[in-house]
């Protein structure tokens, strides 16, 4: 089974939304891939309430998620690391991660942190578009 990891800054908004949505889609399409998520500056916080509310709007409920920092074990185990913006990609490149293993989701996903529910739901829609774009290739079939 292939492994993908979604990475953002705090691992409470974008990357967990991407992980939950990707895993839902992968299960529905019988893809042999599983997603995880982590942050470059994650400190064990729960998922942002607006992230959870946005996921609930698309049928992903009862979310129990605690942020976790990205580590080298996760990087080694992942077939693909999908980041949310150039800042994340550059941090991974500076840490020695192979550039062929890194992809920016949807050309970049802005951080909704501090926004209202609508901002978070719009972010989730952009994440969804990025995931569909990612799945157009043969990498996970």
């Amino acid at each position: 089974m292939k492994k993908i990891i979604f990475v953002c800054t705090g691992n409470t908004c974008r990357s967990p939304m991407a992980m939950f949505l990707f895993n839902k889609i992968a299960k529905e399409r019988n893809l042999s891939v599983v997603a995880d998520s982590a942050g470059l500056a994650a400190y064990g916080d729960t998922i942002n309430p607006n992230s959870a509310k946005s996921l609930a709007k698309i049928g992903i409920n009862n979310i129990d998620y605690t942020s976790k920092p990205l580590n080298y074990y996760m990087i080694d185990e992942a077939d693909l690391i999908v980041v949310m913006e150039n800042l994340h990609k550059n941090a991974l490149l500076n840490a020695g991660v192979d550039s062929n293993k890194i992809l920016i989701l949807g050309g970049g996903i802005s951080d909704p942190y501090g926004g209202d529910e609508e901002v978070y739901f719009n972010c989730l829609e952009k994440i969804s578009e990025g995931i569909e774009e990612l799945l157009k290739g043969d990498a996970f079939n």
Side-chain angles (χ1 to χ4, degrees):
M1 178 167 293
K2 292 188 178 188
K3 293 182 182 179
I4 184 173
I5 187 158
F6 290 98
V7 175
C8 68
T9 305
N11 191 223
T12 61
C13 304
R14 295 171 287 177
S15 58
M17 286 196 294
M19 175 194 71
F20 281 108
L21 178 57
F22 185 92
N23 284 333
K24 177 181 188 271
I25 292 168
K27 183 177 179 181
E28 290 170 353
R29 298 180 189 179
N30 294 316
L31 302 177
S32 185
V33 61
V34 65
D36 195 0
S37 72
L40 299 180
Y43 303 105
D45 297 314
T46 58
I47 191 170
N48 185 289
N50 285 333
S51 294
K53 289 175 186 175
S54 294
L55 289 166
K57 286 181 182 179
I58 61 166
I60 301 172
N61 297 296
N62 304 317
I63 292 173
D64 181 20
Y65 184 79
T66 302
S67 69
K68 59 187 174 287
L70 182 66
N71 63 48
Y72 284 105
Y73 176 77
M74 291 176 189
I75 291 168
D76 288 341
E77 290 291 309
D79 294 295
L80 183 64
I81 301 167
V82 181
V83 299
M84 299 297 149
E85 54 188 278
N86 235 1
L87 170 78
H88 305 132
K89 180 178 181 178
N90 290 337
L92 293 176
L93 292 174
N94 289 336
V97 178
D98 181 356
S99 64
N100 293 321
K101 201 172 186 175
I102 305 168
L103 176 77
I104 298 174
L105 186 66
I109 308 291
S110 297
D111 194 348
Y113 186 79
D116 61 16
E117 283 183 49
E118 183 179 354
V119 170
Y120 276 78
F121 191 73
N122 290 340
C123 179
L124 181 59
E125 287 179 325
K126 187 135 172 53
I127 288 169
S128 178
E129 291 168 9
I131 289 172
E132 288 300 333
E133 191 177 299
L134 176 65
L135 290 173
K136 282 183 184 174
D138 294 327
F140 303 108
N141 294 320

